[in-house]
Amino acid sequence: MDDAEEAAFAEYFRARRDTVRRTAYLLCGDWHRADDHAQSAFVALHRHWRRIRDHQALDAWVRRTLVRAVVDESRRPWRRERSTDRTPETSTSEPDVATRTTLVAALRSVPPRQRAVLVLRYLEGLDVAGTAAALGCSEGTVKSQTAHGLAALRAVLGDSLGDLREAG
Amino acid sequence: MNGGPNADERLAAAFRAAADTPPEAGFSADDVRRESHRIGRRNRNLLVGGVAAAAIVLAGGVSTGVLLARSGGETSAAAPASDAGARSLGAPEMAREAPAVPPTPVGVPLGPAAGDCVNPQDPELRAVVDEVLPEVATASPAPTTMICRPGGGREVNLQVADGELTGLFSVVYTAPGEEPSQTASAVGWATAEVSTASGGLVTVTSRAESDSGGVPFGDRVPEIASALAPHL
């Protein structure tokens, strides 16, 4: 990349690094792994920077790369995730911190693709069409994955976030 | 979002709160640039090494041909694979630019690998696959069995995602004179075999993951095999 392109990349990186890290964190539930995934996504972006025609679509490109990497990793035998019915325990008495910890733990009990749908919709604020585009699947799949993911989340969280039955 | 705005808003607020206190980032823009350049250098070295090895093999072939001709023997030129498939099958949103390092030039194929056993994750073949099919450039290597198969072949086995379709994507190069491995032809598979420029055979196989609902790159497998053939 030439100097102008490097500068443009650096500006984009500054603006988006923490947002991408937050998304990665809710996708995988661990800040160290989140940083690894976020860094890998930015490295891939740096390598493909000149090939991406539409720089308005950078967010979507990074989002798609990140989600794919986290979901792929969850399928590796040595890190294959298992859903659980056990309610996660919290070790703090501070209510908002407890809710935070509980939500992150509860998300880890949701299957990876359903979790990705929930994170894209509720953290990134994407609608059904935007989520489908990010994941490369149909809107119908997003709707069903959202319903299944919310059901899994409700099963773990109970009423700790209020009545979530109308969500989705 | 459909219906239930209060519940949706509560969830959105909870999601934001759950990630609103990130620790200090463990990487900087300089780290990203360094890693990007390191990967670029690695790929360049792999391609240069592959081209050099292929050139040595070709030089040997030419010498042998000259000697045979002088002694009255008959030679036959291997029919080179068409270069029509040599272009990349890049993702639609990618504009094809002149890559930092050109792919293995058509006519100078990668050819057989050195070593006693086929490497199930051959780095030189991986570089070619990444160049021809950029969608799998970030795909993870798939676990493989550790059985030593001799014969100068090359393999790449990847866990891939093609939209919502996931599965195992394998590229197997069989060296000239070697018997290709048998591949099953069943539901949930797509496979294609094409003769390569070095006189070998490239077999591209995509298998669906059981719950995936389809074969990743299923319709494109023959096209991918044809695009790889001139490089192998």
Side-chain angles (χ1 to χ4, degrees), chain A residues 6 13 17 21-22 35 46-47 50-51 61 64 75-76 100 103 113 121-122 136 141 161 163 168, chain B residues 1 8 10 14 17-19 23 26-27 29 33 36 43 93-95 97 140 163-164 166 209:
Chain A
E6 288 285 6
F13 177 86
R17 179 179 63 178
R21 292 176 67 219
R22 288 189 184 99
D35 269 7
H46 188 269
R47 297 195 63 229
R50 301 177 90 172
R51 301 188 200 179
W61 196 96
R64 193 165 57 243
R75 291 198 176 97
R76 292 181 191 172
R100 235 178 260 166
L103 179 62
R113 289 178 70 81
R121 294 200 62 188
Y122 293 106
T141 299
L161 290 180
D163 186 354
Chain B
M1 297 175 194
D8 282 337
R10 277 201 307 279
F27 62 100
R33 271 192 292 270
S36 172
N43 289 348
E93 72 270 25
M94 299 293 185
E97 62 167 0
S140 307
E164 60 185 340
T166 58
E209 210 167 59

mmCIF file of all heavy atoms in Angstrom, chain A residues 6 13 17 21-22 35 46-47 50-51 61 64 75-76 100 103 113 121-122 136 141 161 163 168, chain B residues 1 8 10 14 17-19 23 26-27 29 33 36 43 93-95 97 140 163-164 166 209:
data_model
loop_
_atom_site.group_PDB
_atom_site.id
_atom_site.type_symbol
_atom_site.label_atom_id
_atom_site.label_comp_id
_atom_site.label_asym_id
_atom_site.label_seq_id
_atom_site.Cartn_x
_atom_site.Cartn_y
_atom_site.Cartn_z
ATOM 1 N N GLU A 6 -2.014 3.653 3.460
ATOM 2 C CA GLU A 6 -1.653 3.315 4.842
ATOM 3 C C GLU A 6 -2.313 4.289 5.820
ATOM 4 O O GLU A 6 -2.785 3.892 6.886
ATOM 5 C CB GLU A 6 -0.133 3.345 5.028
ATOM 6 C CG GLU A 6 0.624 2.199 4.359
ATOM 7 C CD GLU A 6 0.475 0.870 5.112
ATOM 8 O OE1 GLU A 6 -0.302 0.795 6.083
ATOM 9 O OE2 GLU A 6 1.111 -0.096 4.683
ATOM 10 N N PHE A 13 -8.627 2.054 11.268
ATOM 11 C CA PHE A 13 -8.274 1.208 12.428
ATOM 12 C C PHE A 13 -8.564 1.945 13.729
ATOM 13 O O PHE A 13 -9.153 1.394 14.656
ATOM 14 C CB PHE A 13 -6.788 0.834 12.325
ATOM 15 C CG PHE A 13 -6.286 0.022 13.484
ATOM 16 C CD1 PHE A 13 -6.414 -1.355 13.497
ATOM 17 C CD2 PHE A 13 -5.668 0.643 14.560
ATOM 18 C CE1 PHE A 13 -5.951 -2.109 14.567
ATOM 19 C CE2 PHE A 13 -5.203 -0.091 15.633
ATOM 20 C CZ PHE A 13 -5.342 -1.477 15.638
ATOM 21 N N ARG A 17 -11.312 0.018 15.911
ATOM 22 C CA ARG A 17 -10.682 -1.077 16.660
ATOM 23 C C ARG A 17 -11.525 -1.537 17.851
ATOM 24 O O ARG A 17 -11.803 -2.740 17.997
ATOM 25 C CB ARG A 17 -9.282 -0.685 17.152
ATOM 26 C CG ARG A 17 -8.628 -1.817 17.954
ATOM 27 C CD ARG A 17 -7.249 -1.454 18.433
ATOM 28 N NE ARG A 17 -7.279 -0.315 19.363
ATOM 29 C CZ ARG A 17 -6.203 0.178 19.966
ATOM 30 N NH1 ARG A 17 -5.013 -0.363 19.718
ATOM 31 N NH2 ARG A 17 -6.299 1.208 20.789
ATOM 32 N N ARG A 21 -13.381 -5.088 18.591
ATOM 33 C CA ARG A 21 -12.999 -5.888 19.764
ATOM 34 C C ARG A 21 -14.232 -6.249 20.591
ATOM 35 O O ARG A 21 -14.349 -7.361 21.097
ATOM 36 C CB ARG A 21 -12.008 -5.106 20.635
ATOM 37 C CG ARG A 21 -10.643 -4.896 19.982
ATOM 38 C CD ARG A 21 -9.775 -4.039 20.865
ATOM 39 N NE ARG A 21 -9.426 -4.722 22.107
ATOM 40 C CZ ARG A 21 -9.355 -4.145 23.297
ATOM 41 N NH1 ARG A 21 -9.636 -2.853 23.442
ATOM 42 N NH2 ARG A 21 -9.013 -4.828 24.362
ATOM 43 N N ARG A 22 -15.139 -5.303 20.750
ATOM 44 C CA ARG A 22 -16.348 -5.583 21.546
ATOM 45 C C ARG A 22 -17.193 -6.678 20.891
ATOM 46 O O ARG A 22 -17.678 -7.587 21.566
ATOM 47 C CB ARG A 22 -17.190 -4.311 21.691
ATOM 48 C CG ARG A 22 -16.602 -3.279 22.614
ATOM 49 C CD ARG A 22 -17.610 -2.153 22.861
ATOM 50 N NE ARG A 22 -17.022 -1.112 23.671
ATOM 51 C CZ ARG A 22 -16.528 0.023 23.178
ATOM 52 N NH1 ARG A 22 -16.580 0.259 21.878
ATOM 53 N NH2 ARG A 22 -15.991 0.920 23.984
ATOM 54 N N ASP A 35 -9.187 -10.186 21.180
ATOM 55 C CA ASP A 35 -8.112 -9.387 20.579
ATOM 56 C C ASP A 35 -7.435 -10.150 19.443
ATOM 57 O O ASP A 35 -7.093 -9.569 18.404
ATOM 58 C CB ASP A 35 -7.089 -8.998 21.645
ATOM 59 C CG ASP A 35 -7.439 -7.657 22.291
ATOM 60 O OD1 ASP A 35 -8.522 -7.127 22.008
ATOM 61 O OD2 ASP A 35 -6.617 -7.143 23.088
ATOM 62 N N HIS A 46 -6.062 -5.316 6.031
ATOM 63 C CA HIS A 46 -4.870 -4.631 5.518
ATOM 64 C C HIS A 46 -4.379 -5.302 4.238
ATOM 65 O O HIS A 46 -4.027 -4.633 3.262
ATOM 66 C CB HIS A 46 -3.762 -4.656 6.587
ATOM 67 C CG HIS A 46 -2.566 -3.825 6.241
ATOM 68 N ND1 HIS A 46 -1.481 -4.343 5.554
ATOM 69 C CD2 HIS A 46 -2.279 -2.514 6.470
ATOM 70 C CE1 HIS A 46 -0.572 -3.393 5.394
ATOM 71 N NE2 HIS A 46 -1.028 -2.266 5.929
ATOM 72 N N ARG A 47 -4.406 -6.624 4.208
ATOM 73 C CA ARG A 47 -3.910 -7.356 3.041
ATOM 74 C C ARG A 47 -4.842 -7.186 1.828
ATOM 75 O O ARG A 47 -4.402 -7.275 0.695
ATOM 76 C CB ARG A 47 -3.758 -8.842 3.372
ATOM 77 C CG ARG A 47 -2.725 -9.089 4.478
ATOM 78 C CD ARG A 47 -2.303 -10.530 4.549
ATOM 79 N NE ARG A 47 -1.661 -10.910 3.322
ATOM 80 C CZ ARG A 47 -1.953 -12.010 2.627
ATOM 81 N NH1 ARG A 47 -2.875 -12.822 3.061
ATOM 82 N NH2 ARG A 47 -1.319 -12.289 1.510
ATOM 83 N N ARG A 50 -6.564 -2.854 -0.944
ATOM 84 C CA ARG A 50 -6.623 -2.311 -2.305
ATOM 85 C C ARG A 50 -7.668 -3.017 -3.151
ATOM 86 O O ARG A 50 -8.051 -2.532 -4.209
ATOM 87 C CB ARG A 50 -5.267 -2.438 -2.984
ATOM 88 C CG ARG A 50 -4.174 -1.726 -2.230
ATOM 89 C CD ARG A 50 -2.844 -1.928 -2.884
ATOM 90 N NE ARG A 50 -2.578 -0.901 -3.874
ATOM 91 C CZ ARG A 50 -1.415 -0.764 -4.492
ATOM 92 N NH1 ARG A 50 -0.425 -1.582 -4.230
ATOM 93 N NH2 ARG A 50 -1.241 0.192 -5.360
ATOM 94 N N ARG A 51 -8.057 -4.208 -2.737
ATOM 95 C CA ARG A 51 -8.987 -4.966 -3.574
ATOM 96 C C ARG A 51 -10.442 -4.664 -3.237
ATOM 97 O O ARG A 51 -11.341 -5.085 -3.958
ATOM 98 C CB ARG A 51 -8.765 -6.471 -3.390
ATOM 99 C CG ARG A 51 -7.369 -6.913 -3.724
ATOM 100 C CD ARG A 51 -7.299 -8.415 -3.693
ATOM 101 N NE ARG A 51 -5.938 -8.895 -3.542
ATOM 102 C CZ ARG A 51 -5.603 -10.166 -3.470
ATOM 103 N NH1 ARG A 51 -6.527 -11.085 -3.501
ATOM 104 N NH2 ARG A 51 -4.349 -10.526 -3.331
ATOM 105 N N TRP A 61 -17.304 -5.864 5.566
ATOM 106 C CA TRP A 61 -16.222 -6.810 5.225
ATOM 107 C C TRP A 61 -15.552 -7.315 6.500
ATOM 108 O O TRP A 61 -15.346 -8.527 6.675
ATOM 109 C CB TRP A 61 -15.201 -6.102 4.324
ATOM 110 C CG TRP A 61 -14.271 -7.037 3.612
ATOM 111 C CD1 TRP A 61 -14.403 -7.515 2.340
ATOM 112 C CD2 TRP A 61 -13.058 -7.593 4.123
ATOM 113 N NE1 TRP A 61 -13.352 -8.347 2.040
ATOM 114 C CE2 TRP A 61 -12.515 -8.412 3.104
ATOM 115 C CE3 TRP A 61 -12.371 -7.498 5.337
ATOM 116 C CZ2 TRP A 61 -11.322 -9.117 3.262
ATOM 117 C CZ3 TRP A 61 -11.188 -8.209 5.499
ATOM 118 C CH2 TRP A 61 -10.667 -9.007 4.470
ATOM 119 N N ARG A 64 -17.920 -9.597 8.523
ATOM 120 C CA ARG A 64 -18.059 -10.938 7.937
ATOM 121 C C ARG A 64 -16.813 -11.782 8.214
ATOM 122 O O ARG A 64 -16.895 -12.945 8.577
ATOM 123 C CB ARG A 64 -18.300 -10.801 6.427
ATOM 124 C CG ARG A 64 -18.761 -12.082 5.764
ATOM 125 C CD ARG A 64 -19.338 -11.817 4.384
ATOM 126 N NE ARG A 64 -18.417 -11.146 3.502
ATOM 127 C CZ ARG A 64 -18.616 -9.946 2.980
ATOM 128 N NH1 ARG A 64 -19.710 -9.294 3.271
ATOM 129 N NH2 ARG A 64 -17.730 -9.406 2.176
ATOM 130 N N ARG A 75 -15.556 -24.603 15.737
ATOM 131 C CA ARG A 75 -15.744 -25.956 15.201
ATOM 132 C C ARG A 75 -14.492 -26.806 15.337
ATOM 133 O O ARG A 75 -14.536 -27.992 15.072
ATOM 134 C CB ARG A 75 -16.095 -25.875 13.712
ATOM 135 C CG ARG A 75 -17.444 -25.303 13.442
ATOM 136 C CD ARG A 75 -17.866 -25.660 12.037
ATOM 137 N NE ARG A 75 -19.218 -25.199 11.799
ATOM 138 C CZ ARG A 75 -19.502 -24.072 11.202
ATOM 139 N NH1 ARG A 75 -18.541 -23.296 10.771
ATOM 140 N NH2 ARG A 75 -20.743 -23.713 11.023
ATOM 141 N N ARG A 76 -13.360 -26.194 15.662
ATOM 142 C CA ARG A 76 -12.138 -26.994 15.774
ATOM 143 C C ARG A 76 -12.284 -27.964 16.937
ATOM 144 O O ARG A 76 -12.786 -27.585 17.998
ATOM 145 C CB ARG A 76 -10.929 -26.086 15.992
ATOM 146 C CG ARG A 76 -10.625 -25.249 14.767
ATOM 147 C CD ARG A 76 -9.427 -24.393 15.011
ATOM 148 N NE ARG A 76 -9.285 -23.406 13.959
ATOM 149 C CZ ARG A 76 -8.419 -22.413 13.970
ATOM 150 N NH1 ARG A 76 -7.597 -22.281 14.980
ATOM 151 N NH2 ARG A 76 -8.356 -21.556 12.982
ATOM 152 N N ARG A 100 -23.833 -8.135 33.531
ATOM 153 C CA ARG A 100 -22.865 -8.187 32.440
ATOM 154 C C ARG A 100 -22.233 -9.572 32.353
ATOM 155 O O ARG A 100 -22.198 -10.208 31.301
ATOM 156 C CB ARG A 100 -21.749 -7.179 32.759
ATOM 157 C CG ARG A 100 -21.501 -6.183 31.690
ATOM 158 C CD ARG A 100 -20.444 -5.234 32.140
ATOM 159 N NE ARG A 100 -21.007 -3.988 32.626
ATOM 160 C CZ ARG A 100 -20.351 -3.087 33.323
ATOM 161 N NH1 ARG A 100 -19.103 -3.301 33.686
ATOM 162 N NH2 ARG A 100 -20.936 -1.984 33.681
ATOM 163 N N LEU A 103 -24.708 -12.228 31.289
ATOM 164 C CA LEU A 103 -25.042 -12.207 29.865
ATOM 165 C C LEU A 103 -23.924 -12.821 29.039
ATOM 166 O O LEU A 103 -24.176 -13.610 28.116
ATOM 167 C CB LEU A 103 -25.314 -10.774 29.405
ATOM 168 C CG LEU A 103 -25.648 -10.642 27.914
ATOM 169 C CD1 LEU A 103 -26.916 -11.413 27.567
ATOM 170 C CD2 LEU A 103 -25.797 -9.192 27.507
ATOM 171 N N ARG A 113 -23.464 -20.022 15.800
ATOM 172 C CA ARG A 113 -24.120 -19.262 14.719
ATOM 173 C C ARG A 113 -25.311 -18.469 15.242
ATOM 174 O O ARG A 113 -25.563 -17.347 14.812
ATOM 175 C CB ARG A 113 -24.533 -20.203 13.577
ATOM 176 C CG ARG A 113 -23.347 -20.723 12.787
ATOM 177 C CD ARG A 113 -23.766 -21.674 11.710
ATOM 178 N NE ARG A 113 -24.470 -21.034 10.618
ATOM 179 C CZ ARG A 113 -23.878 -20.380 9.613
ATOM 180 N NH1 ARG A 113 -22.573 -20.268 9.596
ATOM 181 N NH2 ARG A 113 -24.574 -19.842 8.655
ATOM 182 N N ARG A 121 -27.385 -8.475 15.789
ATOM 183 C CA ARG A 121 -28.652 -7.756 15.890
ATOM 184 C C ARG A 121 -28.692 -6.839 17.113
ATOM 185 O O ARG A 121 -29.140 -5.702 17.014
ATOM 186 C CB ARG A 121 -29.814 -8.754 15.926
ATOM 187 C CG ARG A 121 -29.949 -9.534 14.608
ATOM 188 C CD ARG A 121 -31.312 -10.131 14.454
ATOM 189 N NE ARG A 121 -32.352 -9.115 14.404
ATOM 190 C CZ ARG A 121 -33.643 -9.381 14.428
ATOM 191 N NH1 ARG A 121 -34.052 -10.627 14.501
ATOM 192 N NH2 ARG A 121 -34.531 -8.417 14.383
ATOM 193 N N TYR A 122 -28.227 -7.323 18.261
ATOM 194 C CA TYR A 122 -28.426 -6.533 19.486
ATOM 195 C C TYR A 122 -27.223 -5.678 19.872
ATOM 196 O O TYR A 122 -27.397 -4.634 20.496
ATOM 197 C CB TYR A 122 -28.837 -7.456 20.635
ATOM 198 C CG TYR A 122 -30.202 -8.036 20.399
ATOM 199 C CD1 TYR A 122 -30.366 -9.361 20.033
ATOM 200 C CD2 TYR A 122 -31.337 -7.230 20.478
ATOM 201 C CE1 TYR A 122 -31.620 -9.887 19.779
ATOM 202 C CE2 TYR A 122 -32.599 -7.739 20.216
ATOM 203 C CZ TYR A 122 -32.735 -9.064 19.871
ATOM 204 O OH TYR A 122 -33.976 -9.556 19.596
ATOM 205 N N GLY A 136 -24.076 -14.007 5.187
ATOM 206 C CA GLY A 136 -24.182 -14.713 3.920
ATOM 207 C C GLY A 136 -25.260 -15.783 3.944
ATOM 208 O O GLY A 136 -25.066 -16.869 3.394
ATOM 209 N N THR A 141 -33.331 -17.610 7.568
ATOM 210 C CA THR A 141 -32.389 -18.256 8.487
ATOM 211 C C THR A 141 -32.084 -17.346 9.668
ATOM 212 O O THR A 141 -32.018 -17.790 10.822
ATOM 213 C CB THR A 141 -31.084 -18.609 7.745
ATOM 214 O OG1 THR A 141 -31.397 -19.515 6.686
ATOM 215 C CG2 THR A 141 -30.058 -19.252 8.670
ATOM 216 N N LEU A 161 -33.174 -10.209 32.914
ATOM 217 C CA LEU A 161 -33.249 -9.000 32.076
ATOM 218 C C LEU A 161 -34.704 -8.626 31.806
ATOM 219 O O LEU A 161 -35.007 -7.945 30.831
ATOM 220 C CB LEU A 161 -32.523 -9.224 30.751
ATOM 221 C CG LEU A 161 -31.001 -9.338 30.820
ATOM 222 C CD1 LEU A 161 -30.426 -9.563 29.422
ATOM 223 C CD2 LEU A 161 -30.384 -8.096 31.431
ATOM 224 N N ASP A 163 -38.839 -9.617 31.113
ATOM 225 C CA ASP A 163 -39.526 -10.561 30.226
ATOM 226 C C ASP A 163 -39.027 -10.358 28.797
ATOM 227 O O ASP A 163 -39.244 -9.321 28.195
ATOM 228 C CB ASP A 163 -41.030 -10.317 30.306
ATOM 229 C CG ASP A 163 -41.809 -11.375 29.521
ATOM 230 O OD1 ASP A 163 -41.163 -12.206 28.839
ATOM 231 O OD2 ASP A 163 -43.046 -11.364 29.617
ATOM 232 N N GLY A 168 -37.122 -9.979 19.505
ATOM 233 C CA GLY A 168 -36.872 -10.647 18.241
ATOM 234 C C GLY A 168 -37.768 -10.140 17.145
ATOM 235 O O GLY A 168 -37.678 -10.570 16.040
ATOM 236 N N MET B 1 -36.247 -4.383 13.951
ATOM 237 C CA MET B 1 -36.587 -5.603 14.643
ATOM 238 C C MET B 1 -38.093 -5.713 14.768
ATOM 239 O O MET B 1 -38.801 -4.727 14.900
ATOM 240 C CB MET B 1 -35.943 -5.613 16.024
ATOM 241 C CG MET B 1 -34.418 -5.607 15.948
ATOM 242 S SD MET B 1 -33.679 -5.466 17.576
ATOM 243 C CE MET B 1 -31.992 -5.064 17.138
ATOM 244 N N ASP B 8 -36.578 -5.769 23.043
ATOM 245 C CA ASP B 8 -35.428 -5.608 22.149
ATOM 246 C C ASP B 8 -34.481 -4.533 22.678
ATOM 247 O O ASP B 8 -33.259 -4.695 22.646
ATOM 248 C CB ASP B 8 -35.905 -5.223 20.746
ATOM 249 C CG ASP B 8 -36.436 -6.424 19.967
ATOM 250 O OD1 ASP B 8 -36.051 -7.552 20.293
ATOM 251 O OD2 ASP B 8 -37.243 -6.213 19.044
ATOM 252 N N ARG B 10 -34.166 -3.517 25.790
ATOM 253 C CA ARG B 10 -33.477 -4.004 27.002
ATOM 254 C C ARG B 10 -32.325 -4.922 26.638
ATOM 255 O O ARG B 10 -31.239 -4.838 27.208
ATOM 256 C CB ARG B 10 -34.469 -4.776 27.894
ATOM 257 C CG ARG B 10 -35.325 -3.914 28.788
ATOM 258 C CD ARG B 10 -35.876 -4.716 29.967
ATOM 259 N NE ARG B 10 -36.558 -5.931 29.570
ATOM 260 C CZ ARG B 10 -37.822 -5.981 29.140
ATOM 261 N NH1 ARG B 10 -38.515 -4.870 29.037
ATOM 262 N NH2 ARG B 10 -38.381 -7.132 28.817
ATOM 263 N N ALA B 14 -28.370 -4.353 27.293
ATOM 264 C CA ALA B 14 -27.583 -5.342 28.032
ATOM 265 C C ALA B 14 -26.372 -5.789 27.227
ATOM 266 O O ALA B 14 -25.278 -5.962 27.779
ATOM 267 C CB ALA B 14 -28.466 -6.546 28.362
ATOM 268 N N ALA B 17 -23.841 -3.003 27.354
ATOM 269 C CA ALA B 17 -23.220 -2.910 28.683
ATOM 270 C C ALA B 17 -22.229 -4.046 28.920
ATOM 271 O O ALA B 17 -21.205 -3.873 29.572
ATOM 272 C CB ALA B 17 -24.310 -2.926 29.754
ATOM 273 N N ALA B 18 -22.549 -5.213 28.370
ATOM 274 C CA ALA B 18 -21.696 -6.380 28.609
ATOM 275 C C ALA B 18 -20.300 -6.205 28.008
ATOM 276 O O ALA B 18 -19.356 -6.865 28.428
ATOM 277 C CB ALA B 18 -22.357 -7.626 28.035
ATOM 278 N N ALA B 19 -20.199 -5.328 27.009
ATOM 279 C CA ALA B 19 -18.900 -5.178 26.340
ATOM 280 C C ALA B 19 -18.381 -3.748 26.427
ATOM 281 O O ALA B 19 -17.504 -3.360 25.656
ATOM 282 C CB ALA B 19 -19.042 -5.586 24.867
ATOM 283 N N PRO B 23 -10.654 -4.069 28.180
ATOM 284 C CA PRO B 23 -9.321 -3.777 28.697
ATOM 285 C C PRO B 23 -8.487 -3.098 27.605
ATOM 286 O O PRO B 23 -8.939 -2.993 26.462
ATOM 287 C CB PRO B 23 -8.769 -5.170 29.010
ATOM 288 C CG PRO B 23 -9.508 -6.088 28.103
ATOM 289 C CD PRO B 23 -10.869 -5.486 27.924
ATOM 290 N N GLY B 26 -4.698 -5.192 22.989
ATOM 291 C CA GLY B 26 -3.434 -5.940 22.952
ATOM 292 C C GLY B 26 -2.698 -5.804 21.642
ATOM 293 O O GLY B 26 -1.703 -6.497 21.424
ATOM 294 N N PHE B 27 -3.174 -4.935 20.747
ATOM 295 C CA PHE B 27 -2.490 -4.790 19.454
ATOM 296 C C PHE B 27 -2.708 -3.373 18.924
ATOM 297 O O PHE B 27 -3.695 -2.710 19.261
ATOM 298 C CB PHE B 27 -3.006 -5.818 18.444
ATOM 299 C CG PHE B 27 -4.462 -5.677 18.116
ATOM 300 C CD1 PHE B 27 -4.871 -5.049 16.949
ATOM 301 C CD2 PHE B 27 -5.439 -6.168 18.970
ATOM 302 C CE1 PHE B 27 -6.213 -4.910 16.641
ATOM 303 C CE2 PHE B 27 -6.786 -6.031 18.680
ATOM 304 C CZ PHE B 27 -7.173 -5.398 17.513
ATOM 305 N N ALA B 29 -2.018 -0.555 15.384
ATOM 306 C CA ALA B 29 -1.996 -0.526 13.911
ATOM 307 C C ALA B 29 -0.647 -0.997 13.391
ATOM 308 O O ALA B 29 -0.562 -1.674 12.357
ATOM 309 C CB ALA B 29 -2.295 0.893 13.408
ATOM 310 N N ARG B 33 0.122 -3.961 10.704
ATOM 311 C CA ARG B 33 0.926 -3.784 9.493
ATOM 312 C C ARG B 33 2.070 -4.793 9.438
ATOM 313 O O ARG B 33 2.340 -5.397 8.410
ATOM 314 C CB ARG B 33 1.485 -2.363 9.430
ATOM 315 C CG ARG B 33 0.556 -1.384 8.722
ATOM 316 C CD ARG B 33 1.274 -0.082 8.419
ATOM 317 N NE ARG B 33 1.573 0.641 9.650
ATOM 318 C CZ ARG B 33 0.750 1.519 10.203
ATOM 319 N NH1 ARG B 33 -0.397 1.782 9.639
ATOM 320 N NH2 ARG B 33 1.069 2.140 11.311
ATOM 321 N N SER B 36 0.719 -8.225 8.628
ATOM 322 C CA SER B 36 0.288 -8.261 7.230
ATOM 323 C C SER B 36 1.501 -8.407 6.305
ATOM 324 O O SER B 36 1.496 -9.221 5.373
ATOM 325 C CB SER B 36 -0.472 -6.968 6.907
ATOM 326 O OG SER B 36 -0.745 -6.882 5.530
ATOM 327 N N ASN B 43 4.177 -15.643 1.845
ATOM 328 C CA ASN B 43 3.545 -16.130 0.614
ATOM 329 C C ASN B 43 4.448 -15.935 -0.595
ATOM 330 O O ASN B 43 4.499 -16.779 -1.486
ATOM 331 C CB ASN B 43 2.200 -15.425 0.402
ATOM 332 C CG ASN B 43 1.155 -15.895 1.401
ATOM 333 O OD1 ASN B 43 1.368 -16.888 2.098
ATOM 334 N ND2 ASN B 43 0.038 -15.190 1.479
ATOM 335 N N GLU B 93 -17.009 -8.940 -4.317
ATOM 336 C CA GLU B 93 -16.742 -7.582 -3.874
ATOM 337 C C GLU B 93 -15.276 -7.196 -4.030
ATOM 338 O O GLU B 93 -14.881 -6.088 -3.768
ATOM 339 C CB GLU B 93 -17.163 -7.397 -2.408
ATOM 340 C CG GLU B 93 -16.274 -8.069 -1.414
ATOM 341 C CD GLU B 93 -16.714 -9.469 -1.105
ATOM 342 O OE1 GLU B 93 -17.389 -10.073 -1.956
ATOM 343 O OE2 GLU B 93 -16.380 -9.968 -0.026
ATOM 344 N N MET B 94 -14.448 -8.153 -4.444
ATOM 345 C CA MET B 94 -13.032 -7.886 -4.604
ATOM 346 C C MET B 94 -12.749 -7.444 -6.046
ATOM 347 O O MET B 94 -13.160 -8.096 -6.992
ATOM 348 C CB MET B 94 -12.214 -9.151 -4.343
ATOM 349 C CG MET B 94 -12.384 -9.700 -2.958
ATOM 350 S SD MET B 94 -11.695 -8.587 -1.751
ATOM 351 C CE MET B 94 -11.921 -9.584 -0.295
ATOM 352 N N ALA B 95 -12.027 -6.365 -6.190
ATOM 353 C CA ALA B 95 -11.563 -5.982 -7.505
ATOM 354 C C ALA B 95 -10.232 -6.668 -7.729
ATOM 355 O O ALA B 95 -9.361 -6.617 -6.870
ATOM 356 C CB ALA B 95 -11.387 -4.473 -7.581
ATOM 357 N N GLU B 97 -6.738 -6.923 -8.639
ATOM 358 C CA GLU B 97 -5.624 -6.031 -8.899
ATOM 359 C C GLU B 97 -4.432 -6.892 -9.262
ATOM 360 O O GLU B 97 -4.468 -8.103 -9.117
ATOM 361 C CB GLU B 97 -5.287 -5.246 -7.640
ATOM 362 C CG GLU B 97 -4.859 -6.174 -6.530
ATOM 363 C CD GLU B 97 -4.223 -5.425 -5.379
ATOM 364 O OE1 GLU B 97 -4.125 -4.203 -5.475
ATOM 365 O OE2 GLU B 97 -3.807 -6.070 -4.431
ATOM 366 N N SER B 140 -9.511 -22.198 8.145
ATOM 367 C CA SER B 140 -8.630 -22.953 9.043
ATOM 368 C C SER B 140 -8.274 -24.300 8.422
ATOM 369 O O SER B 140 -9.108 -24.913 7.753
ATOM 370 C CB SER B 140 -9.335 -23.206 10.364
ATOM 371 O OG SER B 140 -9.819 -22.012 10.893
ATOM 372 N N GLY B 163 -20.964 -18.784 2.677
ATOM 373 C CA GLY B 163 -22.233 -18.305 3.197
ATOM 374 C C GLY B 163 -22.586 -19.116 4.422
ATOM 375 O O GLY B 163 -21.784 -19.256 5.339
ATOM 376 N N GLU B 164 -23.785 -19.684 4.427
ATOM 377 C CA GLU B 164 -24.188 -20.477 5.581
ATOM 378 C C GLU B 164 -23.799 -21.949 5.424
ATOM 379 O O GLU B 164 -24.046 -22.755 6.319
ATOM 380 C CB GLU B 164 -25.689 -20.350 5.804
ATOM 381 C CG GLU B 164 -26.528 -20.817 4.641
ATOM 382 C CD GLU B 164 -28.010 -20.552 4.867
ATOM 383 O OE1 GLU B 164 -28.391 -20.374 6.026
ATOM 384 O OE2 GLU B 164 -28.749 -20.523 3.884
ATOM 385 N N THR B 166 -21.216 -24.945 5.356
ATOM 386 C CA THR B 166 -19.897 -25.222 5.909
ATOM 387 C C THR B 166 -19.516 -26.653 5.582
ATOM 388 O O THR B 166 -20.369 -27.502 5.341
ATOM 389 C CB THR B 166 -19.896 -25.036 7.431
ATOM 390 O OG1 THR B 166 -20.868 -25.895 8.012
ATOM 391 C CG2 THR B 166 -20.192 -23.598 7.805
ATOM 392 N N GLU B 209 -20.824 -30.267 5.778
ATOM 393 C CA GLU B 209 -20.948 -30.650 7.178
ATOM 394 C C GLU B 209 -22.372 -31.164 7.395
ATOM 395 O O GLU B 209 -23.295 -30.708 6.738
ATOM 396 C CB GLU B 209 -20.708 -29.423 8.064
ATOM 397 C CG GLU B 209 -20.103 -29.751 9.402
ATOM 398 C CD GLU B 209 -19.601 -28.489 10.073
ATOM 399 O OE1 GLU B 209 -20.422 -27.587 10.293
ATOM 400 O OE2 GLU B 209 -18.401 -28.409 10.360
#
